[in-house]
């Protein structure tokens, strides 16, 4: 992301501070009796709301989402990166409340508290006051988004619809209740007219009308999942009463004309991505030198681990020597690797496999010169040989070369020489491509088609822009799921998709070899609530099974 995108936030950030706590209790502040008289004043009240998910998305949430899906498996190298089992527990569907990949959960109540504080400071909620509703609309949309993240990940969620006093204990509400609360907040925000429709640098990374509609579409496509309070009993054959609503909001986004697929696939994930990417409806901005608020470390875990040099002081994978290597413990599962096989598909280029050559760090294209490490060309193999229950592969060149690697999130030299492997690649949360495929899925599941769109025509818009072969028939639901696996690989949506399609318990990677019960323990579709949150809220019950 570019620095100018964050200028407003940095200018006004010092004007307003919020208390943030994981025990959900805050000190109440006095409310304003007059509305802000300028956009700058309003933005000052909202400045702290937008990036409460940034830290988690950049690391710990990413670990939970990617490793629990069929996209990646975590490994260790001679015990290095075992870290108490944090990574492999997610891969094996054996998460524990003390694992770091769930320890970000407290960020979400803290972020919701900031939303509620802004609403309070701006005069409070009054659904009968049109001016007031428009004023607080961005805070309502962000409050809905944060509840969505918590609910999708952990199930039952505290309904935080007001500032919590010191003596007030808040229980977790059933998932179905929270789902309807999220819907209500989004519909209010949209009806108020207070969400901007502009798509430019000033609205990037913030809640717009289109962000709220995309979130509603995502909520509705998962409606049957989210209104089933016992996650273990959800089945994809259950009726989804909101499929036509998916179509409604997808159509509005499509008709807006603000979004398209004109950018090349790889371009969208480069370090210089940002508001100019026409596919991005809502994204989390990152900057490698601003790690005090957010840090994106995707490449650190997904790239080949020793890419910074040639085993000595010579040039590494990118033709230069970097001061730090990658962790490299996320390997592409064989099942995911097999998806990237369509002739001409630009998305194939995000998977590094076989004998690899040096890459140009400025263009991120592979050259013709073999990449030599310790005197041998680096050759990556699809399958791996696990030595023990710590998912250990050993700690030598043979170990490091096991497993294909994802290079979707390209790096800059400064990331590894100056900024502790933190990246500037913004991470999209809602994309136009997702809108097209959600509409296709809704039609396949029984919604009424609109505007002459068919699942095949929508599906082929995706295939066309990335130069993959067009489909000559109506896609099946399984083909659509596979396409989503290619299009949104390593973007944290795969777990969500697998649960909706009833595939989360399927055998992939090596999880069922080391945890056979993962095939039947459907309560693992949600994670345990972290030890920290449970200790701070002693009235809460831990999720079943954990």
């Amino acid at each position: 992301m570019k620095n100018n995108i964050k200028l407003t936030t940095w200018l006004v950030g010092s004007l307003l501070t919020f208390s943030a706590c994981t025990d959900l209790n805050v000190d109440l502040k006095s409310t304003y009796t007059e509305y802000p008289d300028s956009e700058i004043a309003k933005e000052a009240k909202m400045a702290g709301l937008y990036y409460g998910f940034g830290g988690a998305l950049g690391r710990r949430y990413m670990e939970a989402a990617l490793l629990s899906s069929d996209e990646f498996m975590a490994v260790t190298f001679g015990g290095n990166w075992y870290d108490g089992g944090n990574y492999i527990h997610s891969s094996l569907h054996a998460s524990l409340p003390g694992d770091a990949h769930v320890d970000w959960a407290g960020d979400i109540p803290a972020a919701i508290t900031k939303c509620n504080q802004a609403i309070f400071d701006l005069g409070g909620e009054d659904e009968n006051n049109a001016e007031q509703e428009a004023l607080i609309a961005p805070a309502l949309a962000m409050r809905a988004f944060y509840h969505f993240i918590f609910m999708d990940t952990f199930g039952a969620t505290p309904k935080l619809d007001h500032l919590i006093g010191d003596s007030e204990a808040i229980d977790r509400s059933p998932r179905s209740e929270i789902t309807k609360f999220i819907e209500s907040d989004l519909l209010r925000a949209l009806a108020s007219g207070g969400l901007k429709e502009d798509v430019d640098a000033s609205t990037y990374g913030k809640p717009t009308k289109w962000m709220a509609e995309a979130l509603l579409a995502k909520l509705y496509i998962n409606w049957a999942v989210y209104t089933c309070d016992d996650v273990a009993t959800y089945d994809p054959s259950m009726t989804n009463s909101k499929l036509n609503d998916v179509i409604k909001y997808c159509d509005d986004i499509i008709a807006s004309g603000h979004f398209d697929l004109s950018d090349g696939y790889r371009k969208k994930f480069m370090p210089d991505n940002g508001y100019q990417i026409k596919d991005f409806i809502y994204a989390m901005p990152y900057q490698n030198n601003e790690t005090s608020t957010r840090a994106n470390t995707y490449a650190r875990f997904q790239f080949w681990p020793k890419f910074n040099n040639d085993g000595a002081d010579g040039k590494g994978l990118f033709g230069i020597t970097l001061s730090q290597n990658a962790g490299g413990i996320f390997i592409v599962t064989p099942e995911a690797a097999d998806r990237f096989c369509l002739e001409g598909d630009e998305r194939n280029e995000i998977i590094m496999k076989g004998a690899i050559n040096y890459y140009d760090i400025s263009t991120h294209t592979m050259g013709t010169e073999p990449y030599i490490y310790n005197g041998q060309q680096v050759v990556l193999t699809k399958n791996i040989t696990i030595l023990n229950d710590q998912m250990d592969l050993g700690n030598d060149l043979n170990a490091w070369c096991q497993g294909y690697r994802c290079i979707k999130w390209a790096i800059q030299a400064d990331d590894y020489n100056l900024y502790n492997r933190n990246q500037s690649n913004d991470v999209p949360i809602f994309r136009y491509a997702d809108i097209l495929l959600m509409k296709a899925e809704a039609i396949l599941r029984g919604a009424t088609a609109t505007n002459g769109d068919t699942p095949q025509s929508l599906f082929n818009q995706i295939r066309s822009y990335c130069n993959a072969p067009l489909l000559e028939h109506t896609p099946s639901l399984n083909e659509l799921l596979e396409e989503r696996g290619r299009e949104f690989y390593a973007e944290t949506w795969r777990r969500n998709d697998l649960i909706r399609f009833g595939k989360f318990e399927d055998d992939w990677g090596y999880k069922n070899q080391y945890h056979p019960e993962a095939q039947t323990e459907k309560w693992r579709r949600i994670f345990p609530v972290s030890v920290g949150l449970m200790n701070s809220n002693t009235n809460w019950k831990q999720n079943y099974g954990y």
Side-chain angles (χ1 to χ4, degrees), residues 124-145:
E125 299 188 52
D126 184 355
E127 293 188 49
N128 297 315
N129 185 325
E131 184 179 3
Q132 178 67 7
E133 283 287 281
L135 185 67
I136 66 173
L140 290 175
M142 290 309 300
R143 186 170 75 179
F145 175 71

Side-chain angles (χ1 to χ4, degrees), residues 326-391:
I329 59 168
F330 290 17
I331 63 167
V332 179
T333 65
E335 293 81 4
D338 288 342
R339 284 188 200 104
F340 294 90
C341 62
L342 300 177
E343 184 177 358
D345 192 342
E346 184 184 353
R347 297 170 300 189
N348 295 342
E349 297 175 19
I350 69 171
I351 303 299
M352 178 181 284
K353 61 183 180 180
I356 60 177
N357 299 334
Y358 287 99
Y359 269 68
D360 186 321
I361 199 168
S362 61
T363 63
H364 298 281
T365 56
M366 183 183 286
T368 58
E369 181 185 357
Y371 173 38
I372 304 300
Y373 189 89
N374 280 345
Q376 300 180 54
Q377 182 173 13
V378 174
V379 180
L380 305 184
T381 60
K382 184 169 68 172
N383 296 307
I384 67 174
T385 301
I386 300 171
L387 301 180
N388 55 47
D389 60 7
Q390 292 190 356
M391 303 298 284

Side-chain angles (χ1 to χ4, degrees), residues 57 273 282-286 296 298 409 425-429 491:
L57 181 63
N273 64 354
Y282 178 58
M284 186 60 63
Y286 290 96
N296 167 2
Y298 284 26
W409 306 95
N425 315 59
D426 297 351
V427 176
I429 297 171
E491 293 182 51

Side-chain angles (χ1 to χ4, degrees), residues 18-46:
F18 297 102
S19 61
C21 51
T22 58
D23 64 3
L24 313 184
N25 295 323
V26 299
D27 294 326
L28 300 182
K29 305 287 192 290
S30 61
T31 186
Y32 280 68
T33 57
E34 297 182 0
Y35 301 149
D37 58 3
S38 70
E39 186 64 26
I40 291 177
K42 177 183 175 182
E43 181 65 19
K45 294 298 176 190
M46 300 292 179

